[in-house]
Amino acid sequence: APWLPRAARVVGRFFPYYHGHEPAVMRDIALGCERVHMFSDEGMGGQDAFLLDITEQLSLIRSESALLTYFECIGKAFQGSCTSTAAASHARSRLYLWTRPGTPFYPTRHVRVAARSTMAALFPRGRRTRSVVYTMFRLLHPMYAISSVWMWLWDQWDQCWKWITDFYFTHRRRRFRLVPRRAD
C-alpha cells in the first residue's frame, strides 16, 4: 500500500509525544517497518527513517516539556542502535543545535542538558571527546564557567549538603570518640 510509509512516518513523528514513556514499543515499530522493507525505496531502514523524522520534528516543537519528552524517548528507543552514516550525521547535527545556548532555538538549560544526554546515549563513542571539547570552550569564557559551576551547585545542593554533613559528622565522631573508662 502506497500510504503505509506516510502513515508510519506520522506515527514516528508523534509517537514520542503521546507515548514517550514506552520507548521499547517505538523500537519494535521501527524494527517491524525494517522487516517489511517499508522504506526500501528511499534507501533507508525503518530505524533510520524514524530517527530522521523525529529529529526533523524537534525543530518544530516549542514546548520545553514536549522537547524533554522527545529527547528522553529518542535516547531510550535508539540507544545503541546501528543507523546508517547519513542518518547518524543528520541526527547529530540536529541534536547539536539543541546543545548550544543561543540561536537558532535559544533552548533552556534543561533542554540543553537533555540534548547532550541524548547525544551521549545515541553516540556513545564520542561522548568523552564531546564533553572535553564542551568543557574547554566553557573555560574560554570564564563568566560562563563560573555560572555553570554555580548552577550545578544550585541544582545539586541537596546532594552536596548531604555529602558535607556526612563527611563532617563522620570525621567528628572519629576525632572525639569517647572511650569508656575501665572500672578498677
Side-chain angles (χ1 to χ4, degrees):
W3 56 269
L4 205 51
R6 280 189 239 134
R9 288 216 155 141
V10 169
V11 168
R13 283 185 178 176
F14 297 106
F15 187 87
Y17 182 74
Y18 293 106
H19 299 285
H21 57 282
E22 302 168 358
V25 175
M26 184 171 176
R27 186 181 314 133
D28 293 342
I29 291 171
L31 289 174
C33 290
E34 211 165 284
R35 275 191 222 110
V36 295
H37 306 291
M38 190 175 293
F39 300 105
S40 60
D41 57 335
E42 298 173 16
M44 65 178 81
Q47 285 187 330
D48 293 344
F50 271 67
L51 187 60
L52 288 176
D53 286 338
I54 291 172
T55 53
E56 284 293 324
Q57 187 69 23
L58 289 174
S59 62
L60 303 174
I61 299 172
R62 297 293 178 243
S63 168
E64 181 180 358
S65 61
L67 278 170
L68 294 175
T69 303
Y70 267 74
F71 285 135
E72 182 182 351
C73 186
I74 292 170
K76 287 181 181 175
F78 296 104
Q79 184 175 12
S81 66
C82 297
T83 58
S84 68
T85 307
S89 120
H90 181 77
R92 260 192 215 113
S93 67
R94 289 294 177 177
L95 288 172
Y96 177 71
L97 290 174
W98 290 100
T99 62
R100 300 183 306 182
T103 139
F105 301 118
Y106 296 99
T108 62
R109 180 177 301 274
H110 297 293
V111 172
R112 291 193 311 258
V113 169
R116 262 187 249 119
S117 65
T118 300
M119 281 186 71
L122 289 179
F123 311 109
R125 291 189 84 188
R127 182 179 61 218
R128 286 190 182 140
T129 307
R130 279 191 305 270
S131 66
V132 166
V133 168
Y134 175 77
T135 304
M136 296 308 263
F137 276 105
R138 292 298 276 188
L139 291 176
L140 288 174
H141 302 282
M143 185 62 187
Y144 295 131
I146 292 169
S147 69
S148 290
V149 169
W150 175 253
M151 288 305 293
W152 179 80
L153 285 173
W154 186 261
D155 289 341
Q156 304 295 325
W157 175 250
D158 293 333
Q159 291 178 357
C160 289
W161 181 253
K162 184 178 183 297
W163 182 80
I164 290 169
T165 55
D166 288 348
F167 181 78
Y168 175 73
F169 287 119
T170 302
H171 286 346
R172 184 174 170 211
R173 276 189 227 131
R174 285 185 194 159
R175 234 181 330 190
F176 300 111
R177 182 178 291 168
L178 297 176
V179 179
R181 290 187 176 193
R182 288 187 183 172
D184 292 325

